[in-house]
Amino acid sequence: GNSVTQMEGPVTLSEEAFLTINCTYTATGYPSLFWYVQYPGEGLQLLLKATKADDKGSNKGFEATYRKETTSFHLEKGSVQVSDSAVYFCALKYNFNKFYFGSGTKLNVKP
Amino acid sequence: DADVTQTPRNRITKTGKRIMLECSQTKGHDRMYWYRQDPGLGLRLIYYSFDVKDINKGEISDGYSVSRQAQAKFSLSLESAIPNQTALYFCATRPTGGGNTGELFFGEGSRLTVL
């Protein structure tokens, strides 16, 4: 079946550190891949997405590349800020309407 | 104001009580969803609706029911709440047709505690 696995948190970094949050997926066919972010007390919002192999999604300094050969979609940012503290969810969309979410990774950024 | 509004935002209730969580949206989207979020488990789909006449079960629908009263409103009911239904519940919407980028638009969540 389809599933998403992401690294467990929490991840604690100092401001300006490099961030990687790993995400791997299992899917038949060619899913679209997403990263959503959930700030404290809020709902999830789309951070970036990629719809086919080798696509790179990017937004707000975050990037992720759709790697079909390794079934991965790792989230990266070169220099995190305190305001990036949130929970990050990797997700895939299969067919027209089926979404699968990872368990979420909490990021804490210290000043 | 939020485009996807959930009420109540927080609710504490007792085992056996009937609870309704409401979701309304001003985005004009056809598709609406109810998800449940539990620590370490991510989001799991309870029910989804493509339009007023189309309701579908998700992966964890047991113990829940829904009503799509209008295009803009989608309610989730727990007929007889039990403690393991304690969770954070999210409503989400998505457009169809040309506006469909695959993105889900989430409400701010309803935290339910069943004692």
Side-chain angles (χ1 to χ4, degrees):
Chain A
N2 300 309
S3 66
V4 176
T5 302
Q6 60 182 105
M7 62 187 289
E8 291 188 17
V11 174
T12 301
L13 296 173
S14 296
E15 205 164 24
E16 298 184 1
F18 184 85
L19 169 70
T20 300
I21 300 178
N22 291 336
C23 171
T24 57
Y25 67 90
T26 302
T28 54
Y30 304 96
S32 296
L33 300 174
F34 303 81
W35 276 101
Y36 281 84
V37 58
Q38 182 183 26
Y39 297 106
E42 299 182 11
L44 283 72
Q45 56 186 276
L46 181 66
L47 180 60
L48 53 83
K49 69 175 186 179
T51 57
K52 61 183 187 297
D54 299 325
D55 271 1
K56 177 184 285 187
S58 61
N59 186 26
K60 299 181 181 180
F62 291 88
E63 293 183 340
T65 301
Y66 188 162
R67 302 285 189 197
K68 190 171 186 297
E69 64 276 12
T70 55
T71 62
S72 65
F73 193 54
H74 304 321
L75 182 68
E76 297 181 336
K77 187 175 186 182
S79 177
V80 293
Q81 305 300 312
V82 172
S83 58
D84 294 326
S85 297
V87 181
Y88 293 82
F89 291 89
C90 186
L92 70 83
K93 182 172 75 71
Y94 178 71
N95 282 342
F96 294 106
N97 201 54
K98 294 188 181 296
F99 291 85
Y100 299 85
F101 286 84
S103 58
T105 302
K106 185 173 184 179
L107 171 65
N108 296 315
V109 181
K110 296 180 176 179
Chain B
D1 288 340
D3 294 325
V4 183
T5 303
Q6 294 183 229
T7 56
R9 293 292 310 278
N10 286 283
R11 181 73 183 268
I12 300 173
T13 191
K14 295 182 178 180
T15 297
K17 294 292 187 181
R18 183 177 187 274
I19 295 296
M20 179 180 285
L21 306 179
E22 298 185 337
C23 176
S24 62
Q25 53 116 345
T26 58
K27 300 187 77 66
H29 292 170
D30 295 324
R31 301 185 181 191
M32 298 187 73
Y33 305 76
W34 276 104
Y35 284 92
R36 168 179 172 159
Q37 183 182 17
D38 296 280
L41 294 178
L43 274 71
R44 292 181 291 166
L45 181 63
I46 306 172
Y47 271 95
Y48 62 101
S49 169
F50 286 176
D51 63 38
V52 174
K53 297 179 182 179
D54 183 44
I55 305 288
N56 304 278
K57 292 183 177 181
E59 58 182 309
I60 55 163
S61 59
D62 287 348
Y64 301 94
S65 62
V66 291
S67 173
R68 185 81 183 265
Q69 301 95 324
Q71 189 206 33
K73 296 184 182 295
F74 192 38
S75 300
L76 176 71
S77 293
L78 290 67
E79 296 301 325
S80 180
I82 56 177
N84 76 1
Q85 292 178 312
T86 293
L88 184 57
Y89 291 84
F90 284 104
C91 176
T93 71
R94 189 161 79 95
T96 54
N100 182 4
T101 62
E103 179 181 358
L104 287 168
F105 295 84
F106 285 85
E108 294 176 323
S110 295
R111 183 168 297 281
L112 176 65
T113 302
V114 184
L115 302 176

